[in-house]
Amino acid sequence: MNTNDFQSHVGRMIRSAIGCSLAVAVATSLTGCTSLTQPIDGIPANRLSPEFFPPPKNDLVPVDIANLSREPPRDYQLGPDDILGVYIEGVLPFNAPNAPPQPPPVNFPEENSTLPPSIGYPIAVQDDGTLALPLIEPLEVSGLTLDQVREKIRQAYIDNEILREEKARPIVTLIKERTFDVIVVREDAMGGGGRGGDETIRGSDRSAAGGLVKLPAYKNDVLHALVETGGLPGLTAKNEVMVLRASEADKRKRTEFLRNYWASQRAAMVDPCYCPPEMPDDPSILRIPLRVSPGVVPNIAEEDITLYDGDIVYIESRETEVFYTGGLLPGGQHLLPRDYDLDVLGAMALAGQGIGSEARGSGGGGGFGGIRNLGVAPGMLYILRNTPCKGQVAIEVDLAKAVNDPRSRPLVQPGDTLILQYKCEEEVINFGLGTFFTYGVRQLFNN
């Protein structure tokens, strides 16, 4: 080969290389290669520190709901506001000495009451726990059973020489048990309202609904409050029940907690480098978990689940437990599952983009020349995850590795943003395939 032929051959090689480079550059620019035009600096999922991943919840087990209810005593113990049916022959009601005794009245229970029919004249237990009867001093009956009250009444009339021992046969029954007015506020979707309240409770997962529930004595607990208002929290609610006490001491504790917290925040924000921490839980608010890790026995005492007048049972919504999708994924906001884990592949399917399928919301990777599913599917997913102090970390997920390696498909957590993109070489391949089936095949038939 002479010098001129060698130079000519080298020139052709250089022009070919330049042509290939220009073709790749043109293809890249025409496809809008997002890895170049919209780069995301991500860290591979299998190299990220474990502190950036949420704890799994697949293995959580439900709490025994029997722990949410009180154990009733063997015999009902009286207290203020109980209404008794009392009949004392010759005294209540009063009869003339020669008149025949009047039969005691029969009282039928209210609707939905579990009490049997009772007899006697209604007399309420006073706020101080005493029972006022004719001709004798008030009797202390708080904490006593019906049998004990009956015997105490009998002995009082005998001791005061009002009735002879053989005539002292009082009848004491329970007409209506005392109740506790509890407020229930729910932010989950419910199929119906409660039976035991003055106001029907209805709502949706988008708004809080509440009402007043009257709970009978020894049924004044969290479980009965939930049952009366639609049952256990639904999937749109958090796996916990919050109890806010109505006592003035607890109200002052909550107010003082918030005042101290925001005062410390205002003082610290003077520092430009200050990183605001998450707001801690209010210690005066009782949080009762409904699911726990295996082997964990929740410390739920009876006084924790017992409710009194004015107490508030609050079911909080999971409305903020969402993740977002964008890029080649259909854009949207999606609610995370409550009771099981969701990895990136499941999140893509939930957003309507199965692994290995054509991208939606983009012209790339789809059909060319009327041919569907001809092209390379997008293979790079980025998770934009918030970090403390308003920071962010980008987690890079190679979908080809994620299919085969569980360590490469992290769990999605609330607030994540999932962005699906093509790799640059995938867009070049798709552009080449599209060009060939659009123009190349036409040229073949023309020739």
Side-chain angles (χ1 to χ4, degrees):
M1 179 182 296
N2 56 32
T3 303
N4 292 333
D5 292 338
F6 178 76
Q7 291 177 347
S8 177
H9 178 69
V10 171
R12 285 195 300 270
M13 292 179 62
I14 293 174
R15 286 193 297 273
S16 177
I18 294 174
C20 290
S21 300
L22 289 175
V24 171
V26 171
T28 301
S29 61
L30 291 177
T31 59
C33 182
T34 52
S35 62
L36 295 179
T37 60
Q38 300 176 14
I40 299 178
D41 187 14
I43 303 173
N46 56 358
R47 297 182 185 176
L48 203 61
S49 172
E51 65 186 24
F52 290 100
F53 297 100
K57 54 186 176 182
N58 272 342
D59 58 346
L60 297 181
V61 295
V63 171
D64 184 0
I65 60 173
N67 293 330
L68 305 181
S69 65
R70 299 183 63 185
E71 181 180 359
R74 183 184 300 271
D75 296 310
Y76 188 89
Q77 297 176 354
L78 299 177
D81 296 331
D82 282 329
I83 299 179
L84 303 181
V86 182
Y87 175 77
I88 307 172
E89 184 179 346
V91 176
L92 189 64
F94 174 76
N95 284 337
N98 297 325
Q102 299 181 18
V106 179
N107 309 291
F108 292 94
E110 297 180 350
E111 185 181 1
N112 300 322
S113 174
T114 58
L115 294 177
S118 59
I119 58 176
Y121 293 90
I123 298 180
V125 179
Q126 303 301 310
D127 291 340
D128 59 358
T130 61
L131 188 68
L133 296 172
L135 307 177
I136 61 173
E137 294 292 329
L139 301 177
E140 177 65 45
V141 299
S142 182
L144 301 182
T145 65
L146 292 176
D147 289 339
Q148 291 171 334
V149 171
R150 186 181 302 113
E151 180 60 28
K152 194 168 187 177
I153 293 174
R154 177 180 179 274
Q155 196 62 44
Y157 279 97
I158 293 175
D159 293 343
N160 286 275
E161 299 180 352
I162 299 173
L163 293 175
R164 294 195 301 268
E165 188 169 350
E166 64 273 11
K167 290 290 187 179
R169 296 188 299 268
I171 297 175
V172 180
T173 58
L174 183 61
I175 295 179
K176 184 179 179 181
E177 67 267 70
R178 61 191 181 275
T179 59
F180 297 88
D181 295 338
V182 176
I183 298 173
V184 181
V185 180
R186 305 187 62 139
E187 293 181 347
D188 59 340
M190 294 174 292
R195 299 178 303 158
D198 295 337
E199 179 180 342
T200 300
I201 298 181
R202 300 184 185 276
S204 68
D205 59 334
R206 295 295 179 183
S207 62
L212 183 66
V213 179
K214 291 185 176 295
L215 299 177
Y218 303 112
K219 295 180 181 178
N220 54 320
D221 51 50
V222 170
L223 182 60
H224 282 88
L226 295 178
V227 170
E228 291 292 333
T229 57
L232 294 176
L235 295 177
T236 57
K238 291 185 177 181
N239 252 323
E240 66 177 11
V241 178
M242 300 169 59
V243 178
L244 288 74
R245 300 296 182 186
S247 66
E248 289 298 326
D250 286 297
K251 291 180 181 178
R252 287 194 297 268
K253 286 180 183 178
R254 288 194 289 272
T255 303
E256 190 66 21
F257 169 80
L258 291 174
R259 183 182 295 112
N260 293 338
Y261 174 79
W262 291 116
S264 63
Q265 294 302 300
R266 286 191 294 269
M269 283 190 294
V270 178
D271 184 0
C273 299
Y274 173 67
C275 175
E278 293 186 2
M279 185 174 180
D281 290 336
D282 189 336
S284 65
I285 298 178
L286 176 63
R287 296 177 182 269
I288 302 174
L290 298 181
R291 292 175 70 89
V292 294
S293 301
V296 175
V297 179
N299 184 21
I300 303 177
E302 183 171 326
E303 56 267 24
D304 294 335
I305 52 91
T306 302
L307 304 174
Y308 300 99
D309 285 332
D311 285 349
I312 301 173
V313 177
Y314 183 50
I315 307 298
E316 189 176 5
S317 172
R318 294 194 310 116
E319 192 175 14
T320 57
E321 295 183 5
V322 297
F323 69 95
Y324 306 91
T325 53
L328 298 178
L329 290 173
Q333 174 182 288
H334 311 275
L335 185 66
L336 283 167
R338 187 189 69 174
D339 298 331
Y340 60 89
D341 296 322
L342 184 72
D343 61 22
V344 290
L345 301 186
M348 289 178 59
L350 189 63
Q353 176 72 33
I355 183 68
S357 61
E358 63 176 283
R360 301 183 183 182
S362 162
F368 297 104
I371 301 176
R372 303 293 298 170
N373 297 324
L374 181 63
V376 180
M380 186 60 67
L381 181 74
Y382 293 95
I383 305 174
L384 305 183
R385 179 162 296 173
N386 296 326
T387 59
C389 302
K390 300 181 180 180
Q392 174 182 282
V393 61
I395 305 173
E396 181 182 289
V397 180
D398 190 320
L399 296 180
K401 294 181 180 179
V403 171
N404 301 297
D405 184 8
R407 296 175 300 175
S408 297
R409 48 177 187 264
L411 302 179
V412 180
Q413 70 179 35
D416 283 351
T417 300
L418 277 57
I419 299 179
L420 181 64
Q421 288 188 352
Y422 283 108
K423 299 176 184 178
C424 192
E425 59 269 24
E426 293 169 345
E427 294 211 44
V428 172
I429 293 173
N430 288 336
F431 177 79
L433 291 173
T435 302
F436 173 75
F437 281 99
T438 303
Y439 302 105
V441 173
R442 184 185 304 171
Q443 292 298 324
L444 288 175
F445 283 103
N446 290 337
N447 293 335

